[in-house]
């Protein structure tokens, strides 16, 4: 099994906005000015919607949560956080992606609580975690547990998987969000992919034994 990042829809790359306005609004939000959120959402909406679509790409078509609802729920949780010093748009979008994943994982845990391991919802990670057999899939909750384990071993590696795979961020965007060099992200990305791939393969072999 191999892991690769999946770019967000082209709208994200072509989105035009005034970066100075975003930085100013994020600074205002950090200082507790909640009205900044009302101005920030329209500017970043398409970007956040692209991240939400990235998260939803392996969910069922009839999932009770849709990308638009996921954006709004995540945004409300974002602006409701206290004492967060936003370091820029990349940082804000990375945290948004993490919150979206938490929302979906919590949803899956609730839905599968009574049937974990017996027909529990599974997602096919064809666009990001590509196996030799396209039918191979992984439980969303299982993947979250592996990322939690990775975060305990190496927090930055887990964040890079979150940003590159789940949020579809580029190496440069990830480096900016984590305040590290591009070469550091590239190296960590290779090691994190190898670790996660090995653990997913181990899980598949156990399930098939």
């Amino acid at each position: 099994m191999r892991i690769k990042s999946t770019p967000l829809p082209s709208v994200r790359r072509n989105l035009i906005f005034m970066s100075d306005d975003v930085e100013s609004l994020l600074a205002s939000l950090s200082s507790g000015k909640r009205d900044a959120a009302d101005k920030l959402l329209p500017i970043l909406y398409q970007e956040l919607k692209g991240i939400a679509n990235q998260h939803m790409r392996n969910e069922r078509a009839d999932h009770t949560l849709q990308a638009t609802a996921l954006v709004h729920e995540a945004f409300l949780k974002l602006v409701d956080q206290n004492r967060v010093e936003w370091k820029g748009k990349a940082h804000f979008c990375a945290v948004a992606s993490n919150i979206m994943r938490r929302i979906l994982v919590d949803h899956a845990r609730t839905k599968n609580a009574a049937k974990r391991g017996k027909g529990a919802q599974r997602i096919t990670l064809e666009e990001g975690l590509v196996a030799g057999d396209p039918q191979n899939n992984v439980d969303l909750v299982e993947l979250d547990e592996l990322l939690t384990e990775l975060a305990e071993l190496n927090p930055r590696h887990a964040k890079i998987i979150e940003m590159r795979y789940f949020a579809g961020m580029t190496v440069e965007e990830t480096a900016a969000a984590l305040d590290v060099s591009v070469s550091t992200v590239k190296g960590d990305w290779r090691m994190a992919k190898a670790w996660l791939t090995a653990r997913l393969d181990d899980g598949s072999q156990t399930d098939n034994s």
Side-chain angles (χ1 to χ4, degrees):
M1 182 177 290
R2 60 189 177 87
I3 303 173
K4 64 180 182 181
S5 62
T6 305
L8 288 174
S10 59
V11 66
R12 178 177 176 210
R13 305 304 177 196
N14 297 329
L15 183 64
I16 298 176
F17 58 86
M18 297 181 64
S19 59
D20 289 344
D21 286 349
V22 173
E23 301 299 324
S24 176
L25 289 170
L26 287 174
S28 296
L29 193 61
S30 297
S31 64
K33 297 179 180 178
R34 302 297 294 274
D35 60 329
D38 295 332
K39 300 176 182 177
L40 189 63
L41 180 57
I43 298 175
L44 292 181
Y45 181 78
Q46 289 300 328
E47 186 123 1
L48 295 173
K49 180 73 174 294
I51 294 173
N53 285 331
Q54 178 84 351
H55 279 278
M56 297 297 296
R57 72 193 185 281
N58 291 305
E59 297 289 348
R60 305 181 317 275
D62 62 346
H63 196 287
T64 54
L65 276 175
Q66 297 301 315
T68 299
L70 186 58
V71 168
H72 286 280
E73 185 171 346
F75 190 81
L76 288 175
K77 291 180 181 295
L78 273 167
V79 300
D80 196 42
Q81 296 189 66
N82 296 319
R83 298 183 298 277
V84 176
E85 184 179 350
W86 298 111
K87 299 177 182 178
K89 180 178 70 72
H91 180 213
F92 187 85
C93 289
V95 176
S97 175
N98 182 270
I99 290 177
M100 290 178 192
R101 183 169 67 85
R102 298 304 324 158
I103 291 170
L104 290 173
V105 169
D106 289 344
H107 184 276
R109 279 203 172 98
T110 299
K111 189 174 183 61
N112 299 332
K115 54 180 181 180
R116 181 69 193 278
K118 298 180 179 179
Q121 176 188 342
R122 299 179 73 82
I123 56 174
T124 301
L125 302 176
E126 294 177 354
E127 297 183 27
L129 306 178
V130 182
D133 181 353
Q135 298 303 314
N136 282 351
N137 52 34
V138 60
D139 190 326
L140 177 60
V141 176
E142 176 187 355
L143 181 58
D144 178 69
E145 291 172 349
L146 286 176
L147 285 176
T148 298
E149 182 180 343
L150 178 58
E152 294 176 353
L153 296 172
N154 193 311
R156 192 171 67 203
H157 284 190
K159 289 178 181 178
I160 288 174
I161 289 289
E162 171 75 38
M163 294 176 190
R164 299 228 57 215
Y165 170 66
F166 286 101
M169 295 171 68
T170 66
V171 170
E172 292 75 16
E173 290 168 334
T174 303
L178 295 177
D179 195 23
V180 296
S181 69
V182 167
S183 61
T184 294
V185 171
K186 289 180 178 179
D188 285 357
W189 172 239
R190 287 193 295 270
M191 289 187 285
K193 282 192 299 180
W195 184 90
L196 187 56
T197 296
R199 293 305 306 272
L200 288 171
D201 284 342
D202 287 344
S204 298
Q205 293 170 5
T206 301
D207 291 341
N208 294 329
S209 61

